[in-house]
Amino acid sequence: MKNRKKGGLHAGLLLAAMIMLISLLAGCGGNNNTNATAAEANAAETTASPETATAEPAAEPVTVRLQLKWVPQAQFAGYFLAQDKGYYAEEGLNVEILPGGPDIVPEQQVAGGSAEIGVDWVASLLTSQEQEMPLVQIAQIYQKSGLVLVSKKEAGINGPADLKGKKVGNWMGGNEFELLALFDKYQLDPNKDLNFTKQGFTMDQFLGGEIDAASAMTYNEYQVVLESGVKAEDLNVIDMNDEGVAMLEDNLFANKEWLADNKETAAKFVRASLKGWKDAIADPEAAVDSVMKLAEEGSTSREHQLTMMTEVAKLIQPEGFDIAKLGYTDAAAFQQTADIALKFGVIKEASDVNEAYTNEIVEMAAE
């Protein structure tokens, strides 16, 4: 009996040990599954973390207002095309293009805070700078002057010297200084040697024979004369560039106070604008599409704007000009403009050209 009890006791202990071992093994297996599940969860969480971290609200686009010199036309096509192609949006900008007009002075708008950047001729900018408006040129778009004097061959004006005794028109209001420089070069007194008169914004006076020589922009008024039926071979043209009295025209300038804190924004604007201008030169049809969307109905025709764009392209990228330098202000050309402005009273004191313009923004845009 004793031996059987001992055998039963040993058997019972062995059974209990086996049950405990099985339980431990089962427990280990359970812990491994739990750890695996936790690891998977952690991995999933880790994978999701970068997405969660980058899913921040998109930054609001920065608003930049561009004040034009005149109403929408191909003269400003590069900005309209940059807008339509999304170049400003790609730079994180919300650009508002403000039309100009006869009663709008871009410099006053920018200096007063109604716009951050403006378009005008350099002579007008120099005048505003002398009046202590906080403005600085940040890009030069037009590389040549578009101003010419046009006359009918029958008037006998074969060159500037022949302007003596003739009635010569100009719009005045800041547009006359290249002509004054021309008169001076040929020793013509505009008050004695010829009749220098105010010209309207149409070419009616010229076409009607009221003036002998009329001011015209190659991309606008000159084309109006041709469109009226007058043939190019029946006209004489005096080009300010050929005469060495040209002044720089369409530029981009900014409010100095705004620019001090927004150089990167200005560079983004310039980069997108130059891209728009290069596209406009390469594809005039697309440029005019953008213009016609904004031009006042009935104020112009597609054909006129297409011709204008073709002529504008010649001023922005004249023969031999490296398009990669578009936007840079040429020191010699700017100095010539400033010198003419001083000589003929546009400004009373010599301009500090080092303060009048900067190429820093264009250089930033090129990076």
Side-chain angles (χ1 to χ4, degrees):
M1 290 293 294
K2 287 180 181 179
N3 288 339
R4 260 188 295 203
K5 283 183 181 179
K6 280 185 179 181
L9 180 59
H10 287 309
L13 290 172
L14 182 59
L15 180 60
M18 290 178 64
I19 291 172
M20 287 181 66
L21 179 61
I22 292 170
S23 297
L24 286 171
L25 290 172
C28 288
N31 287 338
N32 284 340
N33 289 339
T34 301
N35 290 337
T37 302
E40 290 171 3
N42 287 335
E45 185 177 346
T46 302
T47 303
S49 293
E51 296 178 4
T52 305
T54 57
E56 298 177 358
E60 287 293 322
V62 178
T63 296
V64 175
R65 294 164 295 179
L66 173 67
Q67 178 63 65
L68 301 182
K69 175 181 173 65
W70 196 245
V71 297
Q73 57 182 17
Q75 179 182 359
F76 315 109
Y79 311 114
F80 301 135
L81 194 58
Q83 184 85 290
D84 282 352
K85 287 200 168 186
Y87 295 156
Y88 293 128
E90 288 173 5
E91 295 285 356
L93 304 179
N94 172 38
V95 173
E96 298 176 10
I97 303 177
L98 310 176
D103 300 322
I104 293 177
V105 179
E107 288 84 356
Q108 292 178 359
Q109 298 297 102
V110 174
S114 296
E116 287 71 42
I117 297 175
V119 177
D120 208 341
W121 288 7
V122 172
S124 296
L125 175 65
L126 292 172
T127 302
S128 299
Q129 289 174 332
E130 186 170 68
Q131 294 170 359
E132 298 187 352
M133 292 186 191
L135 306 172
V136 62
Q137 176 165 312
I138 59 173
Q140 182 64 50
I141 305 302
Y142 284 32
Q143 305 302 314
K144 291 181 65 177
S145 169
L147 181 64
V148 298
L149 271 178
V150 59
S151 62
K152 297 173 185 174
K153 283 193 174 178
E154 60 194 49
I157 304 174
N158 298 310
D162 297 326
L163 292 170
K164 187 172 183 177
K166 303 296 184 181
K167 191 172 184 179
V168 181
N170 185 266
W171 312 286
M172 307 301 182
N175 299 298
E176 71 272 23
F177 302 112
E178 287 171 89
L179 296 190
L180 291 177
L182 179 72
F183 300 154
D184 184 73
K185 178 180 178 180
Y186 288 88
Q187 299 181 333
L188 295 171
D189 186 329
N191 298 313
K192 297 178 181 178
D193 297 325
L194 54 90
N195 182 0
F196 194 35
T197 188
K198 184 173 176 58
Q199 174 182 322
F201 288 106
T202 70
M203 294 302 282
D204 293 346
Q205 292 164 286
F206 174 71
L207 294 171
E210 296 175 39
I211 51 180
D212 300 306
S215 294
M217 302 306 294
T218 56
Y219 54 80
N220 197 358
E221 291 81 10
Y222 180 73
Q223 303 305 321
V224 170
V225 172
L226 297 181
E227 290 165 10
S228 73
V230 180
K231 296 179 180 179
E233 55 265 32
D234 294 329
L235 297 170
N236 282 326
V237 175
I238 300 173
D239 189 319
M240 302 304 120
N241 300 286
D242 295 340
E243 293 297 335
V245 295
M247 299 175 79
L248 290 173
E249 295 172 357
D250 290 34
N251 65 4
L252 287 174
F253 61 90
N255 185 308
K256 274 187 176 182
E257 296 167 0
W258 173 82
L259 187 64
D261 297 323
N262 294 277
K263 287 185 178 181
E264 287 290 344
T265 296
K268 290 177 180 179
F269 174 84
V270 169
R271 180 161 50 239
S273 296
L274 296 181
K275 194 173 179 182
W277 273 119
K278 290 171 185 176
D279 283 3
I281 292 170
D283 190 355
E285 293 281 356
V288 172
D289 285 343
S290 294
V291 171
M292 295 307 292
K293 291 177 184 177
L294 299 170
E296 183 179 349
E297 187 174 354
S299 66
T300 187
S301 68
R302 180 179 179 82
E303 291 72 24
H304 181 73
Q305 291 301 319
L306 191 56
T307 300
M308 183 183 291
M309 183 62 238
T310 301
E311 294 301 319
V312 161
K314 296 175 184 177
L315 301 180
I316 295 174
Q317 188 184 13
E319 188 175 350
F321 178 74
D322 181 0
I323 195 64
K325 294 181 180 179
L326 180 60
Y328 282 88
T329 300
D330 179 77
F334 195 95
Q335 187 65 61
Q336 176 174 300
T337 299
D339 290 344
I340 292 174
L342 178 62
K343 186 171 184 177
F344 297 102
V346 181
I347 50 179
K348 296 177 181 178
E349 296 183 6
S351 170
D352 183 352
V353 295
N354 293 322
E355 293 293 326
Y357 75 88
T358 177
N359 279 319
E360 179 185 7
I361 304 303
V362 175
E363 289 167 356
M364 289 174 63
E367 292 177 356

